[in-house]
Amino acid sequence: MKFFIDTANLAQIAEANDLGVLDGVTTNPSLMMKEGISGRDNVLKHYVDICNIVDGPVSAEVISVDFAGMVKEGEQLAALHHNIVVKVPMTKDGIKAIKYFSSKGIKTNCTLVFSAGQALLAAKAGATFLSPFIGRVDDSCWDGIELISQIRLIYDNYGFNTEILAASIRTPMHIVKCAEAGADIATCPLSSILGLLKHPLTDIGLEQFIADYKKVEG
Ligand code: G3P
């Protein structure tokens, strides 16, 4: 299972990268806003800064909602760095744009996915990655993990290569459940990745080992 970090915060991206387990980065306009990144030039520079930290796919989202705008913007984003993946929303124009980018060899991440039907369409259009928002599915009183299982089954039934990139992850347990359900990737906040480290018995055990070592060695 690959781990992406879901943030535009450079310090957090560097911290996750230093752990040695980071495979990529996802961003979105809300995450860019959270870091105070505004203005087209600054946004583009920020994507390059991220690419200079992590050697893996970096999703950069288009903000156009029409096909022509998505194509123009996506081509500009893809030209920034070879690791850029163009993030495209799950809409009619978005599906057309994903098909276009796929035919040009430009990698895509189909975002704002909330149903298996949407996942099927994105795979048929040739999306490289698919982002089901499992936390937001849970927020709507549906089952985000069940959605991952359903998409896994469909993709395996037909041999689709689109990678399932579980997004809107809120907890370490979400990551574990996504791994059980067969997601290819989890894109997570740093807190959820670090949360995987935690177990009180690890802390208690380590404290005991160090104490015993000191008793013998002085
Ligand atoms: O990857 C999508 C993510 O950024 C959305 O997360 O917590 O706003 O649903 P959230």
Side-chain angles (χ1 to χ4, degrees):
M1 187 193 209
K2 285 179 262 186
F3 279 13
F4 289 5
I5 188 166
D6 192 32
T7 183
N9 182 290
L10 297 181
Q12 290 187 13
I13 292 168
E15 184 177 340
N17 195 53
D18 284 350
L19 263 181
V21 297
L22 192 66
D23 301 293
V25 181
T26 54
T27 63
N28 61 43
S30 303
L31 293 172
M32 292 297 252
M33 182 193 73
K34 206 170 153 194
E35 300 309 317
I37 314 294
S38 63
R40 197 63 188 155
D41 288 350
N42 290 332
V43 168
L44 298 182
K45 182 188 171 301
H46 202 74
Y47 287 137
V48 175
D49 289 344
I50 294 172
C51 290
N52 287 334
I53 298 174
V54 180
D55 186 18
V58 173
S59 289
E61 188 156 344
V62 298
I63 46 161
S64 301
V65 291
D66 64 298
F67 172 74
M70 286 178 182
V71 165
K72 189 175 169 206
E73 224 187 303
E75 285 179 335
Q76 187 187 23
L77 291 169
L80 287 175
H81 192 280
H82 63 272
N83 278 338
I84 291 284
V85 172
V86 181
K87 204 170 179 186
V88 180
M90 164 46 72
T91 60
K92 197 171 172 185
D93 283 52
I95 286 297
K96 284 167 65 181
I98 287 168
K99 181 72 187 174
Y100 170 85
F101 290 130
S102 167
S103 74
K104 299 282 175 193
I106 294 174
K107 290 185 176 167
T108 54
N109 175 356
C110 182
T111 189
L112 290 166
V113 170
F114 294 90
S115 78
Q118 292 177 326
L120 185 53
L121 259 184
K124 281 194 68 69
T128 316
F129 301 103
L130 178 92
S131 291
F133 277 33
I134 64 163
R136 293 191 193 184
V137 172
D138 288 354
D139 290 343
S140 315
C141 209
W142 290 73
D143 187 337
I145 300 299
E146 181 55 34
L147 175 60
I148 298 292
S149 302
Q150 202 181 5
I151 298 169
R152 177 77 282 153
L153 176 67
I154 291 169
Y155 282 10
D156 289 350
N157 279 349
Y158 295 98
F160 285 123
N161 291 326
T162 301
E163 292 191 63
I164 303 172
L165 198 177
S168 183
I169 281 179
R170 310 268 174 79
T171 64
M173 200 56 188
H174 261 155
I175 303 176
V176 172
K177 289 288 174 193
C178 281
E180 285 178 354
D184 298 288
I185 307 155
T187 188
C188 325
L190 180 61
S191 58
S192 297
I193 298 174
L194 295 179
L196 293 172
L197 287 165
K198 290 184 192 159
H199 198 288
L201 291 179
T202 303
D203 300 337
I204 292 167
L206 182 61
E207 202 178 319
Q208 182 72 57
F209 287 158
I210 299 297
D212 288 346
Y213 171 84
K214 283 181 179 165
K215 275 183 214 161
V216 179
E217 301 297 329

